[in-house]
Amino acid sequence: MDRIVVLDFGSQYSHLICRRIREFSVYAELVPYDISIDKLREMNPKGVIFSGGPSSVYNKDAPKPDTAIFQMKLPLLGICYGHQLIVDNFGGKVKRANKEYGHSVLTIDNNSDLLGGIGDSLRAWMSHGDEAEKIPDNFQIIGHTERSQAAAIANTQELVYGIQFHPEVVHTERGVQILKNFVLNICHAKQDWTMESFVEKTVNDISKIDGNVLCGVSGGIDSTVAALLIHRAIGDRLKCVFVDNGLLRLDEEYEIEKMFKDNFSVNFTAINAKKQFLDKLRGVTDPERKRKIVGEEFVKIFTEFAEKNGPFKWLAQGTLYPDVIESGVSKGPAAIIKTHHNVGGLPDWLDLQILEPLRDLYKDEVRKVAAILGVSKKLLSRHPFPGPGLAVRIIGEVTEKKLEIAKVASKIVEDELEAAGWYDKIWQAYAAVGDDKAVGVVGDERKYGNIVMIRVVESIDAMTADWTRLPHDLLAKISNRITNEIDEVTWVSYVISSKPPATIEPQ
Ligand code: XMP
């Protein structure tokens, strides 16, 4: 498989470069900027991209790649900081400039190769404080903005290019075309990265392993897809275990079991541990304590299962690419990244090796694999759900009564959003409940009942979120249904806090 290697100099957009390239079916991989030249040679890339980054090339401690990269005679593209690195390395000069942030119009001076097929100008996304003052010999300016004379440069003999703007972000018009020009026309990489080929290769690789595989499944898309891939490869040597902690969405435990057993014939054990979790959570009101209890009980039950049903050689996890990457700049060493694993804290004596079939994939790629494997549309489009489940959506002690209210009210919220065509447009939607009460009148009687809080948010990545401006009629319908269908509830409120300063979950 042909591949493009992206050296990560710490830009918040580094991953996006890979994702954009993979979207046109070329495999792209993000590596730390200080990758050794031997490792890079082993990867045998068709071309290398230097990402942006927060540093200045003229600073003493600026991150720089092994200069042997420049002798590899590979096509090179530098983006933002990467552009400045190229200028600096080939003998040009970079200086501090007035900050240029946001949209600028890039005028194209030469549209022969890198900037081919994109017309005379484009709106480009800039985010930089340095610029090329003098470009290296043998380079020419192929594009400029009002404030950056050398916003795009090229040495078409050596196939080395630099662009000051970010083609990977959606705010740059025809940015994908620029990446395509580099990857397809200049590097001549083949478009052979498809999810069908990924499934075929992964299943083939996994079928070579020996021993049994243990996989904890949650009903979420990542663990489901990991399990289904492994099942395709080794059948019943995979044992899936699902711990029902009683903190799931309404009836979710039955749906998950049905999906694995009926639709996919996977060796699947559901452990009903509702009582165990609720007993441990009784009287606990502190949010962090609740999270900790849910995590600890899970590990306990999972360990018991492994002990009784083993021996297992492998523990499968649905870890994705963004959690795996060890970047020299933006993330810590690989050892720290381990804490991303969903099943932390398993005892050493289980002696399990980790199997992570999705470790090369981004989330949108996992969705494509899921569709290939026959995962239902409903699961594919279901909103994310927190690991500690309703324990973080119930404020104060988790009781059976509050659980029931949160489950039924959330189902009403989800169903009404679905019916009104809103469900797929938003990030998460649910009803939370606490201990606050308010008076209502039912018939002629006063009733002191629970207050339910509806939370509906829009987000791209959960780092920030805004509350959704739902139509009042839809809110009225949801409110009516909740008070009519759940006896205990007298008031329904709508949460209008964004993140920040609030978080998406109340606890
Ligand atoms: P917050 O509440 O921090 O949530 O704005 C951001 C996103 O993360 C989810 N979330 C969790 N997911 N384990 C998870 O697997 C957790 O402990 C957890 N806490 C929050 C939340 O649903 C939202 O999408």
Side-chain angles (χ1 to χ4, degrees), residues 288 291 342 383-389 392-393 427-428 430 455 457 459 461-465 499 502-507:
E288 283 309 307
R291 279 172 191 271
N342 302 323
H383 293 158
F385 188 66
V392 298
R393 291 184 177 172
W427 178 263
Q428 270 170 322
Y430 63 86
R455 183 87 164 125
V457 295
S459 177
D461 54 9
M463 302 298 287
T464 59
K499 175 181 180 176
T503 52
I504 295 176
E505 304 293 350
Q507 298 233 303

Side-chain angles (χ1 to χ4, degrees), residues 250-469:
L250 189 68
D251 293 336
E252 204 171 5
E253 61 273 36
Y254 309 112
E255 290 164 15
I256 293 168
E257 183 161 2
K258 190 166 168 41
M259 170 175 74
F260 276 97
K261 282 192 168 163
D262 296 359
N263 297 5
F264 297 119
S265 315
V266 169
N267 186 331
F268 178 94
T269 305
I271 299 176
N272 181 343
K274 289 177 186 170
K275 187 170 175 320
Q276 186 169 333
F277 278 85
L278 279 190
D279 284 348
K280 286 278 174 189
L281 288 166
R282 210 169 302 283
V284 182
T285 54
D286 177 65
E288 283 309 307
R289 184 86 201 103
K290 287 198 278 186
R291 279 172 191 271
K292 201 152 179 271
I293 290 172
V294 175
E296 283 168 0
E297 283 315 292
F298 178 82
V299 169
K300 227 185 273 171
I301 294 167
F302 199 76
T303 307
E304 265 170 40
F305 178 87
E307 204 181 356
K308 283 196 194 131
N309 296 277
F312 290 101
K313 187 163 181 188
W314 302 89
L315 175 71
Q317 297 193 340
T319 318
L320 304 190
Y321 192 46
D323 292 336
V324 170
I325 293 171
E326 172 198 3
S327 160
V329 177
S330 51
K331 286 193 182 172
I336 293 170
I337 289 167
K338 286 272 181 220
T339 58
H340 284 265
H341 292 312
N342 302 323
V343 191
L346 285 181
D348 285 348
W349 54 258
L350 279 177
D351 198 23
L352 294 167
Q353 296 179 54
I354 305 286
L355 181 62
E356 295 175 321
L358 311 180
R359 60 180 288 126
D360 287 336
L361 300 190
Y362 288 108
K363 192 85 179 182
D364 49 327
E365 294 174 319
V366 175
R367 290 212 175 86
K368 286 185 194 152
V369 172
I372 293 170
L373 296 174
V375 170
S376 72
K377 272 217 173 78
K378 188 173 170 208
L379 182 77
L380 275 173
S381 58
R382 191 123 205 212
H383 293 158
F385 188 66
L390 297 179
V392 298
R393 291 184 177 172
I394 287 171
I395 299 170
E397 185 185 1
V398 179
T399 63
E400 270 96 348
K401 199 178 208 181
K402 279 152 83 184
L403 263 176
E404 184 65 16
I405 293 173
K407 284 186 184 196
V408 176
S410 292
K411 173 91 169 90
I412 292 171
V413 172
E414 286 196 344
D415 284 354
E416 290 302 328
L417 290 179
E418 183 80 59
W422 275 89
Y423 187 86
D424 291 333
K425 295 187 209 161
I426 58 183
W427 178 263
Q428 270 170 322
Y430 63 86
V433 64
D435 295 312
D436 284 344
K437 297 208 163 182
V439 173
V441 266
V442 182
D444 289 333
E445 272 182 44
R446 284 166 71 83
K447 191 165 96 178
Y448 199 40
N450 287 87
I451 302 175
V452 155
M453 288 149 279
I454 299 174
R455 183 87 164 125
V456 183
V457 295
E458 285 154 41
S459 177
I460 301 287
D461 54 9
M463 302 298 287
T464 59
D466 198 7
W467 60 279
T468 302
R469 275 61 166 175

Side-chain angles (χ1 to χ4, degrees), residues 121-132:
S121 67
L122 60 91
R123 272 157 62 85
W125 185 257
M126 297 282 197
S127 169
H128 66 111
D130 291 338
E131 69 177 13

